Structure formats: C-alpha cells, structure tokens
Amino acid sequence: MNPTLWRRLLAEFTGTAMLVTAVVGSGVMATRLTDDIGLQLLENSVATAFALGALILTFGPVSGAHFNPVVSAADWFLGRRTGTGLPARDLAGYVVAQVAGAIGGSVLANLMFKLPAVDVATKDRTGSDLWLGEVVATAGLLLLIFALARSGRAAVAPAAVGAYIGAAYWFTSSTSFANPAVTIGRAFSDTFAGIAPGSVPGFVAAQLAGLVAGAGLLLALYPSVGSAAGDVLAPHPDDASRQLRNHGGTTR
C-alpha cells in the first residue's frame, strides 16, 4: 500500500524546499567565496547535483521524489491509460506542495545567510535563447527519468538525475532550471540563483513546451512507457512484485 496522500505531499514539500535551499544557498556561498563567475557556477552546479541525488534517495520511497510539476504532470499523463503513475486527483496537491516548498526553500536560504526573508529577485533572464535552453533541459530531464523507469533502472535515478542537472547547468544557455516550482521559488531571492518575477512566465512556458516535447519523444521511442510511470522517480517498496512481473521475474 502506498503512503497516504498527506505523507506524500509533505515529502514533496520538504524535498522541494531543501532542493531550492541547496540551489540558492550554494549560489550565495559561491559569490561570497570568489568573484570568478565560472567558479561560482561550478560551485553552484556541483552542490545542486549532489543535493538532488541525496534528496531523491531520501524522499523517493515516500512520494516518488518528483519535486517538479513537469515530472508530476508527465507521470500522470503517461500513466493515465494503464492506471500507473500519479492519480489525477493527486496531481494538483503535488503541484501546490512543490511550489510552496520552493518558495519556503528560498526563504530558508535567505535567512541562513542573513538576508531578508523575502527578497524579490532583480536578475532578468529573458530571450529566445534562454527559453530554448529550458525546452531542451526539461525535455532531456523527462527523457532520462522515464527511460530509466521503462528499462527497469529506476534505482540509478538519483545519481543519473543529479548528474544530468549538474551537466545541464553548463550545456544549456539558461543554466537548466527545468522546473516551474523551482523557477517560482528562485524569484524570492535576489541572489546569484535568482530570477526576476517578470522573467518567470517565459521560463515556465518554455518548461511546459519541454514537457510536451519530452512526452512526445517518450511515446515515440518507448510506446509502452506508461506502464512504468509508477516507478518515477524511485519505486515504492510495494512496487517490487510489479517490477519483476514487468521484466519476467517472479516473487517468493
């Protein structure tokens, strides 16, 4: 039996909050340690990648460790026909918990570094090049997560997802937000990782476009991907028998 909804929502709230705390906090620390922008980005990306992997390991068995409305929406959409993945009735709760957690994470990071609790970002991030970067980052993230689940390798998702996001900091023009909740949360901190509120809609729209592109590619490459939606990002303990059945095994 899966954990109750309130436990899963608490896990999504807490996990997303800690993720944004890691993103914002490491950005603040990086700017205080060095004036070299390249080194700042390296420090920020490494901390985020390691934190994300650890958080997926921590909260995956409870909620699936989505921490991202795009992942939750894809999980619902791809699994709706097979009855796997996130139920439609839970999707809104996941999104609300993720957005609230992201905002809380920014506030927490601000307070840890003696900044105003709510410090609206002023860093503009806009332009077709950045939006394209978000489409690529988001679509690639979905391809990775669901391909791992479909091929029975969900156990390596913590390391793989952390590695992908860490790398995407560098190969995308937008530094790979790839997450509407995190994007909204980062608007509440006027720091290295911040994004001005006026830039948020463009990023979120690009991420939703990445959702459509990623889902379309998944359906083309893995037509039966929906059957594995229940294993995203990390399988619940009671999913073990279903995984074995899907891959020809038996349980004892």
Side-chain angles (χ1 to χ4, degrees):
M1 205 174 169
N2 284 337
T4 57
L5 179 59
W6 75 265
R7 288 177 58 204
R8 288 184 281 133
L9 295 183
L10 178 60
E12 286 297 300
F13 172 87
T14 307
T16 309
M18 293 179 70
L19 173 60
V20 175
T21 299
V23 173
V24 173
S26 63
V28 175
M29 182 64 80
T31 58
R32 292 185 179 182
L33 292 174
T34 179
D35 293 325
D36 187 303
I37 295 177
L39 188 54
Q40 290 172 356
L41 185 61
L42 176 62
E43 292 163 349
N44 190 211
S45 62
V46 169
T48 300
F50 281 120
L52 180 55
L55 291 170
I56 293 172
L57 284 171
T58 302
F59 296 103
V62 181
S63 68
H66 294 184
F67 311 149
N68 188 336
V70 164
V71 174
S72 297
D75 196 40
W76 162 76
F77 175 76
L78 294 172
R80 71 195 191 286
R81 291 184 179 176
T82 55
T84 59
L86 188 67
R89 64 182 181 276
D90 296 350
L91 178 58
Y94 265 56
V95 172
V96 170
Q98 291 156 357
V99 173
I103 294 171
S106 269
V107 171
L108 179 58
N110 289 339
L111 291 174
M112 283 199 300
F113 287 93
K114 292 187 177 181
L115 299 171
V118 175
D119 194 13
V120 178
T122 58
K123 187 171 185 177
D124 291 321
R125 299 177 188 261
T126 187
S128 58
D129 55 332
L130 301 185
W131 299 333
L132 179 58
E134 282 301 288
V135 173
V136 171
T138 306
L141 177 63
L142 293 178
L143 282 169
L144 171 64
I145 290 171
F146 285 89
L148 288 175
R150 178 62 187 87
S151 59
R153 295 175 294 163
V156 303
V161 173
Y164 174 81
I165 291 298
Y169 259 80
W170 292 90
F171 72 73
T172 64
S173 56
S174 62
T175 65
S176 183
F177 285 45
N179 185 328
V182 168
T183 302
I184 294 170
R186 288 168 69 164
F188 287 78
S189 183
D190 192 19
T191 58
F192 179 81
I195 177 173
S199 300
V200 169
F203 264 56
V204 172
Q207 291 154 2
L208 294 177
L211 165 62
V212 174
L217 282 169
L218 281 165
L219 289 171
L221 294 169
Y222 302 95
S224 60
V225 67
S227 64
D231 297 334
V232 175
L233 281 163
H236 298 298
D238 60 317
D239 287 336
S241 60
R242 178 167 52 79
Q243 288 185 65
L244 289 171
R245 287 196 301 272
N246 288 344
H247 299 289
T250 61
T251 57
R252 296 182 182 178

